[in-house]
Amino acid sequence: MGSYKPTAPTGDIEILRYDDRYREQSMDVLRKSFFLNEMVCIGAEVNLTPQAQKDLEQLCLDVADGGVSMIAKHTPTDTIVGVSFNVLQTPSGPEDANYFEQFRDNKCTTDSSRSLMQYMISMDAKVNLFERFNVGCLLEIMFLATLPNYEGHGVGTRLVSESVRLAEQLKSGRAVPSNVSGESTGAFKRPQLVSALFTSRISQRVGEKVGFTVINQVPHSEFVYKGKAYSERIGPEHPFSTLVVKHI
């Protein structure tokens, strides 16, 4: 089995598979960027709820164990400046809670983190991608973030592009999840599609650049936390989320 080979770095930024030795730096990107500035985090007041942020850090660490997440490293300083926490999803049975439902019910300790998880569950439930595209596995780009100082330099676009490229290599068998080794390399599910929920005009433009197709668009006014629509906290600049896919 081949291993995933990152493309050559552009400038001083290199896109790599997530490595646990960068765990704390990767969490720091979430703390300084995603939890404070991402639209649904604002809508569900994750930005104001430190314990909700801790819940979602645990989600990302659990997801990172799946071996398909990506990080952006500033090579000269060995600093992580961007993350894409990705997860391989397969259909759950009609009676089974899916991964996000299990996390919401068993690991969320705040109403804020539960609200954010419910948003993800609700968005996923609106379109069954497995049935619609007749696939048994997809790679979902779950949480995408760049340190504020590195925004506007294409880091997010490269993380998404490399996540798609990794999915292509997983599909063809040229790469395996980084947590898979030895005799189990043939056992992992191979994605046939890449999906993402993009919650801001910025991430939606990233999706357009990388060639994603919009499957669904849902206004943020549809989601409510503490009696207030997400849209009231987010404001009019980012009015909706999109569910997008890219065939591989």
Side-chain angles (χ1 to χ4, degrees), residues 31-70:
R31 292 170 194 143
K32 291 177 176 174
S33 174
F34 188 86
F35 295 147
L36 302 181
N37 303 321
E38 191 274 331
M39 294 307 134
V40 172
C41 285
I42 293 169
E45 291 192 349
V46 170
N47 59 324
L48 305 178
T49 315
Q51 184 56 46
Q53 297 174 23
K54 287 188 172 65
D55 290 349
L56 297 171
E57 280 185 35
Q58 187 57 54
L59 173 67
C60 289
L61 291 173
D62 290 354
V63 163
D65 284 342
V68 295
S69 294
M70 310 295 292

Side-chain angles (χ1 to χ4, degrees), residues 59-60 62-70 84-90 98-100 117 120 124 130 137-143 163 166-167 170 177 189 191 193-196:
L59 173 67
C60 289
D62 290 354
V63 163
D65 284 342
V68 295
S69 294
M70 310 295 292
S84 181
F85 284 100
N86 305 329
V87 59
L88 290 175
Q89 298 272 38
T90 54
N98 67 29
Y99 178 75
F100 292 149
M117 295 306 297
M120 293 166 68
D124 284 350
F130 301 106
C137 178
L138 59 83
L139 185 143
E140 178 172 348
I141 296 170
M142 188 185 75
F143 287 175
S163 296
L166 172 59
L170 292 168
K189 296 281 188 185
L193 191 73
V194 181
S195 73

Side-chain angles (χ1 to χ4, degrees), residues 13 15 19 24-25 38 71 89 95 110 118 121 133 142-143 151 169 178 185 188 191 193 203 210 237:
I13 305 292
I15 309 298
D19 187 309
E24 192 57 29
Q25 285 196 44
E38 191 274 331
I71 51 178
Q89 298 272 38
E95 304 301 318
T110 68
Q118 186 57 49
I121 292 160
F133 295 105
M142 188 185 75
F143 287 175
E151 288 172 359
Q169 294 191 5
S178 56
T185 52
F188 76 93
L193 191 73
S203 57
V210 183
E237 297 84 7

Side-chain angles (χ1 to χ4, degrees), residues 76-191:
T77 57
D78 197 36
T79 303
I80 303 308
V81 301
V83 294
S84 181
F85 284 100
N86 305 329
V87 59
L88 290 175
Q89 298 272 38
T90 54
S92 50
E95 304 301 318
D96 301 325
N98 67 29
Y99 178 75
F100 292 149
E101 289 169 335
Q102 291 175 28
F103 190 90
R104 175 199 63 195
D105 296 341
N106 299 320
K107 295 190 177 180
C108 283
T109 64
T110 68
D111 290 340
S112 176
S113 56
R114 274 189 285 271
S115 180
L116 183 138
M117 295 306 297
Q118 186 57 49
Y119 156 85
M120 293 166 68
I121 292 160
S122 299
M123 286 292 294
D124 284 350
K126 289 177 184 292
V127 181
N128 186 324
L129 295 177
F130 301 106
E131 289 183 2
R132 177 155 178 180
F133 295 105
N134 191 30
V135 298
C137 178
L138 59 83
L139 185 143
E140 178 172 348
I141 296 170
M142 188 185 75
F143 287 175
L144 176 71
T146 303
L147 281 180
N149 289 352
Y150 287 85
E151 288 172 359
H153 297 286
V155 175
T157 301
R158 289 185 56 211
L159 281 163
V160 171
S161 296
E162 289 295 316
S163 296
V164 170
R165 206 166 72 88
L166 172 59
E168 292 169 344
Q169 294 191 5
L170 292 168
K171 180 186 179 185
S172 68
R174 286 176 291 143
V176 300
S178 56
N179 66 337
V180 172
S181 61
E183 295 176 4
S184 60
T185 52
F188 76 93
K189 296 281 188 185
R190 299 186 181 190

Side-chain angles (χ1 to χ4, degrees), residues 187-204:
F188 76 93
K189 296 281 188 185
R190 299 186 181 190
Q192 300 148 286
L193 191 73
V194 181
S195 73
L197 295 175
F198 287 141
T199 66
S200 73
R201 295 286 199 192
I202 298 159
S203 57
Q204 286 153 10

